[in-house]
Amino acid sequence: MANGYPITDSRSGYNAEKPYEGRDPRLSDAVLVNGEKFGEITICTGTYDTKTDGIDLKSGESTRTGYFLKKFLRSDVNLGEPKVEKYHTWAYIRMTEFYLGYAEAANEAWGPDGSGSYGMSAVDVLTAIRQRAGVETDYIKEVAAAGKDAMREFIHNERRIELCFENHRLFDLRRWKDLDHLREMPRAIEFSSETNFVIRDVRNEARDYKDYMIYGPIPHSECMKFSNLQQNDGWN
C-alpha cells in the first residue's frame, strides 16, 4: 500500500472491495487495471464488455490476467496518424538496479543497518527508493528490527516491484533458488461488473519447474569441444 504496509497487515487500510485504492503508486505505473484510462481509451478487462481487451475474450488479443502492461508505454501515440515519430524505449539497466543489488549485498554482509566503509546501509537504499516512489517508509524500520532474514525477504519483494517487466524476475528466482515462486500459478482478477470480481488461477498456466532447472543446460557444441565437460544434472 502507499503507506508502506503489505495488504496482509491490518494497518495497511486495504479494502478488498476496492482493491486499487490507496495502493503503492508503482502499481499504476506498471499495469493498466479495469476501468483505468490509457490516453483517450477506457480499459475494460472484465467479462461484462464486448471489447477485445476483456479477459479471455479473444485468444491472443485480450488479457489473460485482468491486467495490461503500462510500464514503458506511451499513452500519447495515436496509431491512426499516418506517421508516428515516437519511440518505445526499453531500460537495459537502471541505477535502481545497482542500488537494489547493493542493498542485497549490504544486508548479507552487515545486516539491515550496517554499511561497512561505504556509508550507506540496506535500510538507507530502500528508504530512498520508496521515498522517490511516493511510498511511506516507517514499515522498513520494523522489517530492519526483525533482522537480516526479514530484510532479505523485503528486498526480494522490492526487486519484484521496482524491476517488474525488466527481465529480472526469472533470473532472481533462480539465483535465490526460490522454487516455490518458480512453480507458483499466475493469478487473474476477473470482473463480472465494474465492482464485482473474483481472483482465480490463470487458465492453462501450470508451471512445472523441476529442481535441476535452476541451472541451464550447457550447449552441446561446448560439450563436444572438451570431453571432460559434464552436462548439468537433468539435461542429459
Side-chain angles (χ1 to χ4, degrees):
M1 301 293 286
N3 64 13
Y5 292 95
I7 63 172
T8 52
D9 193 299
S10 60
R11 297 166 293 177
S12 69
Y14 175 69
N15 183 350
E17 295 182 357
K18 298 178 180 179
Y20 303 127
E21 288 190 4
R23 299 302 295 269
D24 183 325
R26 291 172 291 185
L27 175 65
S28 62
D29 289 341
V31 296
L32 289 162
V33 304
N34 188 60
E36 186 178 355
K37 292 199 71 171
F38 188 67
E40 299 300 318
I41 300 171
T42 299
I43 299 296
C44 173
T45 65
T47 57
Y48 58 91
D49 200 305
T50 58
K51 294 178 180 178
T52 57
D53 50 353
I55 189 167
D56 291 337
L57 191 61
K58 271 192 171 184
S59 178
E61 295 184 21
S62 67
T63 175
R64 301 185 66 194
T65 62
Y67 300 98
F68 284 103
L69 176 66
K70 183 179 182 182
K71 195 174 187 178
F72 300 130
L73 296 183
R74 296 187 59 147
S75 62
D76 59 346
V77 171
N78 182 356
L79 297 179
E81 294 178 4
K83 189 175 183 181
V84 180
E85 294 288 353
K86 292 169 183 175
Y87 299 93
H88 184 166
T89 301
W90 290 98
Y92 289 99
I93 192 167
R94 294 195 292 121
M95 186 62 74
T96 304
E97 182 186 344
F98 285 101
Y99 287 141
L100 286 168
Y102 172 81
E104 190 174 349
N107 181 59
E108 297 300 325
W110 310 297
D113 295 299
S115 59
S117 60
Y118 297 97
M120 201 171 192
S121 68
V123 169
D124 294 331
V125 171
L126 295 164
T127 298
I129 289 173
R130 284 206 159 187
Q131 284 176 337
R132 185 187 67 171
V135 181
E136 295 179 30
T137 59
D138 288 345
Y139 181 64
I140 298 175
K141 299 173 185 176
E142 293 185 26
V143 175
K148 180 187 291 188
D149 291 345
M151 179 55 72
R152 181 187 301 118
E153 185 177 344
F154 183 87
I155 293 170
H156 288 186
N157 188 60
E158 203 68 11
R159 285 185 66 89
R160 179 183 68 88
I161 296 169
E162 186 71 30
L163 301 177
C164 67
F165 305 116
E166 296 184 38
N167 298 319
H168 292 282
R169 183 64 174 168
L170 172 64
F171 301 101
D172 281 346
L173 293 176
R174 286 176 67 183
R175 70 185 176 86
W176 297 330
K177 298 186 178 180
D178 188 345
L179 293 170
D180 288 340
H181 280 106
L182 282 165
R183 293 168 178 154
E184 188 176 34
M185 281 285 291
R187 310 303 301 279
I189 184 167
E190 183 175 314
F191 283 84
S192 56
S193 70
E194 291 184 5
T195 56
N196 296 317
F197 64 90
V198 296
I199 304 292
R200 60 167 174 79
D201 290 338
V202 173
R203 298 185 177 100
N204 303 316
E205 278 286 336
R207 304 291 170 85
D208 185 18
Y209 201 95
K210 308 295 185 185
D211 290 5
Y212 68 81
M213 293 178 180
I214 289 291
Y215 301 100
I218 301 172
H220 179 68
S221 59
E222 297 303 312
C223 293
M224 293 296 291
K225 293 176 184 177
F226 184 47
S227 60
N228 290 333
L229 183 62
Q230 296 183 4
Q231 182 58 270
N232 286 330
D233 290 343
W235 295 105
N236 295 319

